[in-house]
């Protein structure tokens, strides 16, 4: 059976959820072979095996942390040459897309980014993508070379499918370009204790209507009652009320949770681009004419300062 | 010595218009007005600021696209870029990401560069990989997704805000940079800038100027094929209630019914 190379996104050996989803998709196309790089790479093996990786290729070197992107491209290329896969799947993070695209050009292949689903087809994998702020759905194939595809978080279920997960050390020699861009300092993001925005099953967002950084506490309280991540519209981020890392929309993060709750967000096209594929959409807004109400499964026309705390209290009561 | 900056820009359909696909499943450009991609305005702005700090710099703004794409170049020139290059060829219709990066790389090499500045992504395709591909093809460092950027003594430095960390990065020129919408508000063209832009040179290059063959680009030469494009079905009308004191409780009831609580 053909092998499918899966690039592993992990933090010190803890595999991030989008990679486990990739393994589900990879099994539709062949036998998943995972590639884990950097500190803790070998520690990923158990989780990867549990979710279907037949082999786990690992390599650690200082270059992965000290230089930007290219060392990882060199390693993915080495794995590609060692495995000769039928397809290469990479998580659709900003860095993942850059790594995937550079590999594709190196090996003479096409690249598809931000797939939201993947199926085996007669002429190779068929990827589903969203276009024009998720107002269209397209199906796309790579027509030259080995398909290199990046997949968005929440595109497939995480499924247990135990496999051998044999750990093998990968030999990597770095290219001249590998040390081109030096990382001179790194400040890890302070953990909020909340789920990661792109991975969360529920996202609670605030926008212009939140009207001040000090009021984001009520958005956070609702998020915490539901075990949700907190998002913000561009208007709220540009006003300095919430960090850019939490921005949902065209120039921020694209999210596709089971439930999206928009509070005080009008629903401009740029915001819709980042959340329109959410399964269930709920909005609270004073303005009954706000375009967000065209998208909702349930909307409350009202003052978020009344509705959101009442909802939070009710959720907490029901959870008992 | 003059710092040669090339800014890549894209002419995109206005996102507030009714965007759709043409029969050949390429982006329909006829029915919606085009404009300079908003995210590329940030690239022009950062290039202008870098040029201001340099002793001597020249900014060339570059686009690949149909006749109308000149509008995007004019906007960048009116903001303050010095000259423009328009790569235009009927055979480019339907070129995909890999092909676009090939055409841009050839044009950048022909123009000559010390620094390439790009926006973080286009506002239509939104893939965000062209800057990395240009670095790959040009064989120079990629210094991408910067929310702060500066150039001094032949070194470009910046801040890259990633998912798990914020990084300070640096590379020697020549290099490819991309900047995010956090890099600083783009300036509006002044009346003087708009008048001056009319006199600035816009060169037109076609595939033969770049040493490329028609079958390396365009729909037929693309590395990817779009098999189908379907408009997303409109969401069925949701329930909308007016808060009369119980809105939060009603919403909780809905969420409980959907098993979210």
């Amino acid at each position: 059976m053909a092998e499918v190379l899966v690039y592993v996104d992990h933090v010190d050996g803890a595999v991030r959820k989008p990679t486990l989803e990739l393994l589900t998709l990879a099994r539709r196309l062949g036998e998943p072979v995972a590639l884990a790089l950097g500190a803790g790479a070998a520690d990923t093996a158990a989780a990867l095996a549990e979710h279907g990786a037949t082999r786990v290729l690992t390599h650690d070197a200082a270059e992965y942390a000290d230089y930007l992107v290219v060392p990882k491209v060199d390693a993915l290329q080495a794995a590609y040459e060692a495995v000769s896969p039928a397809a290469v799947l990479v998580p659709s993070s900003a860095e993942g897309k850059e790594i995937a695209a550079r590999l594709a050009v190196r090996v003479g292949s096409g690249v598809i980014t931000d797939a939201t689903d993947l199926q085996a087809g007669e002429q190779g994998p068929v990827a589903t993508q969203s276009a024009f702020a998720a107002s269209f759905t397209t199906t796309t194939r790579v027509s030259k070379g080995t398909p290199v595809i990046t997949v968005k978080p929440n595109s497939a279920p995480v499924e247990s499918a135990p496999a051998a997960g044999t750990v093998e050390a990968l030999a990597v020699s770095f290219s001249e370009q590998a040390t081109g861009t030096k990382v001179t300092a790194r400040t890890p993001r302070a953990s909020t204790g909340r789920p990661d925005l792109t991975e969360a099953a529920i996202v609670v967002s605030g926008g212009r209507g939140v009207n001040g950084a000090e009021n984001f506490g009520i958005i956070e309280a609702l998020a915490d009652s539901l075990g949700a991540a907190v998002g913000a519209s561009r208007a709220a981020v540009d006003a300095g009320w919430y960090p850019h890392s939490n921005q949902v929309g065209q120039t921020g993060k694209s999210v596709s949770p089971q439930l999206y709750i928009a509070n005080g967000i009008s629903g401009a096209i740029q915001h819709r681009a980042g959340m329109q594929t959410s399964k269930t959409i709920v909005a609270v807004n004073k303005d009954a004419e706000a375009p967000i109400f065209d998208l909702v499964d349930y909307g409350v026309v009202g003052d978020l300062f009344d509705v959101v705390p009442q909802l939070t209290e009710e959720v907490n009561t029901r959870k008992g | 010595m003059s710092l040669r900056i090339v800014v890549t820009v894209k002419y995109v359909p206005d996102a507030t218009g009714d965007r759709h696909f043409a029969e050949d499943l390429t982006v329909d450009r006829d029915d919606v007005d085009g404009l300079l991609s908003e995210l590329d305005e940030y690239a022009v702005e950062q290039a202008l600021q870098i040029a201001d700090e340099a002793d001597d710099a020249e900014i060339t703004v570059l686009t690949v696209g149909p006749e109308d794409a000149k509008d995007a170049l004019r906007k960048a020139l009116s903001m303050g870029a010095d000259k423009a290059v328009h790569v235009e060829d009927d055979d480019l219709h339907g070129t995909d990401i890999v092909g676009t990066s090939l055409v841009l790389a050839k044009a950048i090499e022909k123009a000559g560069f010390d620094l390439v500045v790009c926006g973080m992504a286009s506002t239509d395709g939104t893939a965000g990989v062209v800057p990395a591909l240009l670095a790959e093809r040009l064989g120079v460092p990629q210094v991408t997704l910067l929310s702060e950027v500066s150039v001094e003594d032949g070194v470009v430095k910046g801040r890259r805000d990633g998912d798990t960390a914020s990084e300070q990065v640096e590379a020697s020129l020549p290099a490819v940079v991309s900047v995010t919408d956090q890099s600083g508000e783009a300036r509006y063209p002044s009346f003087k800038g708009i008048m001056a832009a009319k006199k600035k040179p816009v060169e037109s290059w076609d595939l033969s100027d770049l040493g490329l063959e028609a079958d390396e680009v365009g729909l037929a030469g693309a590395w990817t094929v779009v098999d189908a494009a379907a408009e997303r079905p409109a969401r069925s009308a949701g329930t909308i209630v007016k808060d009369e004191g119980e809105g939060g409780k009603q919403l909780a009831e809905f969420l409980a019914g959907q098993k979210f609580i």
Side-chain angles (χ1 to χ4, degrees), chain B:
Chain B
M1 204 173 106
S2 177
L3 178 69
R4 296 166 302 167
I5 304 173
V6 176
V7 184
T8 60
V9 300
K10 190 172 182 187
Y11 179 73
V12 298
D14 187 344
T16 59
D18 184 18
R19 295 177 293 177
H20 51 266
F21 290 91
E23 247 175 59
D24 63 359
L25 302 182
T26 61
V27 176
D28 190 327
R29 290 173 173 276
D30 294 336
D31 280 5
V32 180
D33 287 341
L35 74 178
L36 169 61
S37 171
E38 184 208 335
L39 292 170
D40 293 338
E41 291 184 11
Y42 295 92
V44 176
E45 177 62 38
Q46 290 307 311
L48 290 168
Q49 292 190 19
I50 289 165
D52 280 347
E53 293 295 314
D55 291 337
D56 179 20
E58 183 181 58
I59 300 174
T60 302
V61 56
L62 164 68
T63 199
V64 177
E67 169 69 23
D68 293 351
K70 280 198 175 64
D71 290 356
L73 296 175
R74 285 288 169 211
K75 173 85 183 277
L77 289 172
S78 66
M79 288 172 72
D82 299 300
K83 57 182 183 139
V85 172
H86 183 195
V87 180
E88 186 187 6
D89 197 308
D90 288 345
D91 290 324
L92 286 167
H93 174 78
T95 304
D96 70 351
I97 288 173
V98 168
T100 298
S101 71
L102 175 66
V103 177
L104 283 171
K106 292 279 186 192
I108 291 164
E109 276 172 341
K110 183 174 162 75
F113 74 101
D114 301 298
L115 180 67
V116 178
V117 186
C118 311
M120 62 185 280
S122 70
T123 54
D124 55 350
T126 69
V129 298
V130 165
L133 287 180
L134 291 179
E136 175 70 35
R137 291 191 183 278
L138 296 168
V140 302
Q142 77 161 76
V143 199
T144 49
L145 296 168
L146 304 183
S147 42
E148 276 173 17
V149 60
S150 63
V151 175
E152 207 174 328
D153 299 329
V155 175
V156 55
K157 294 184 183 183
R159 191 181 86 232
R160 174 172 163 116
D161 294 323
D163 277 352
T164 55
S166 177
E167 296 166 327
Q168 295 290 334
V169 294
E170 64 175 59
S172 297
L173 299 184
V176 174
V177 159
S178 76
V179 300
T180 74
D181 61 331
Q182 301 296 297
S183 59
E185 216 41 48
R187 69 193 65 185
Y188 287 103
S190 62
F191 178 71
K192 206 174 131 196
I194 293 166
M195 295 313 287
K198 294 184 200 267
K199 298 196 183 95
K200 290 177 179 173
V202 178
E203 277 193 63
S204 274
W205 296 346
D206 62 15
L207 285 176
S208 64
D209 291 319
L210 302 179
L212 288 168
E213 300 294 331
D215 61 5
E216 293 178 84
V217 297
L219 205 50
W223 281 256
T224 46
V225 182
V226 180
D227 283 326
E231 194 154 9
R232 205 178 159 80
R235 283 182 169 265
S236 49
T239 307
I240 295 179
V241 301
K242 192 171 182 326
D243 177 36
E244 281 161 351
E246 298 283 302
K249 287 184 183 165
Q250 288 168 286
L251 184 44
E253 192 58 38
F254 169 78
L255 295 179
Q258 302 286 314
K259 308 270 189 271
F260 287 116
I261 311 176

Side-chain angles (χ1 to χ4, degrees), chain A residues 11 16 68-70 73 93-95 97-98 101-102 104-106 108-114 126 130-144 177 180-189 202 226 234 237-238 244 247 250-251 253 258-259 261 269-270 276-282 284 293-303 306-307 310-311 314-315 318-319, chain B residues 13 15-16 19-21 27-28 38-39 42 96-98 101 120 122-124 126-129 132-133 135-137 139-145 160-172 178 180-182 185 215-216 220-232 235-243 245-256 258 260-261:
Chain A
V11 179
R16 299 181 77 191
L68 204 63
V69 175
V70 184
V73 182
S93 63
E95 184 185 56
K97 290 198 284 188
E98 292 183 334
R102 293 188 72 142
V105 163
R106 284 190 187 185
S109 292
V111 61
I112 293 172
T113 57
D114 293 326
V126 177
S130 287
F132 301 149
S135 59
F136 278 79
T137 302
T138 61
T139 50
T140 308
R141 282 180 294 118
V142 168
S143 50
K144 284 189 203 169
Q177 270 76 45
T181 308
K182 196 170 173 38
V183 178
T184 56
R186 176 177 288 115
T187 314
R189 245 177 231 308
I202 303 179
L226 292 163
R234 180 160 174 188
V237 170
D238 282 354
H244 179 247
Q247 185 178 316
Q250 185 170 49
T251 60
K253 299 235 162 60
Q258 296 298 318
L259 171 64
I261 307 182
I269 183 83
Q270 289 81 0
Q276 197 159 347
T277 55
S278 303
K279 309 295 178 291
T280 299
I281 298 175
V282 168
V284 178
F293 286 121
D294 295 340
L295 299 181
V296 298
D297 297 283
Y298 198 94
V300 180
V301 180
D303 189 335
D306 297 328
V307 177
Q310 189 181 63
L311 171 60
E314 190 68 18
V315 173
R318 283 171 188 252
K319 281 198 312 192
Chain B
T16 59
R19 295 177 293 177
H20 51 266
F21 290 91
V27 176
D28 190 327
E38 184 208 335
L39 292 170
Y42 295 92
D96 70 351
I97 288 173
V98 168
S101 71
M120 62 185 280
S122 70
T123 54
D124 55 350
T126 69
V129 298
L133 287 180
E136 175 70 35
R137 291 191 183 278
V140 302
Q142 77 161 76
V143 199
T144 49
L145 296 168
R160 174 172 163 116
D161 294 323
D163 277 352
T164 55
S166 177
E167 296 166 327
Q168 295 290 334
V169 294
E170 64 175 59
S172 297
S178 76
T180 74
D181 61 331
Q182 301 296 297
E185 216 41 48
D215 61 5
E216 293 178 84
W223 281 256
T224 46
V225 182
V226 180
D227 283 326
E231 194 154 9
R232 205 178 159 80
R235 283 182 169 265
S236 49
T239 307
I240 295 179
V241 301
K242 192 171 182 326
D243 177 36
E246 298 283 302
K249 287 184 183 165
Q250 288 168 286
L251 184 44
E253 192 58 38
F254 169 78
L255 295 179
Q258 302 286 314
F260 287 116
I261 311 176

Side-chain angles (χ1 to χ4, degrees), chain A residues 59 64 70-71 73-75 77-78 106 170-176 178:
Chain A
H59 187 251
Y64 298 122
V70 184
V73 182
D74 290 343
Q77 186 177 8
R106 284 190 187 185
L170 179 73
V172 178
S173 54
F174 291 118
S175 65
E176 245 176 71

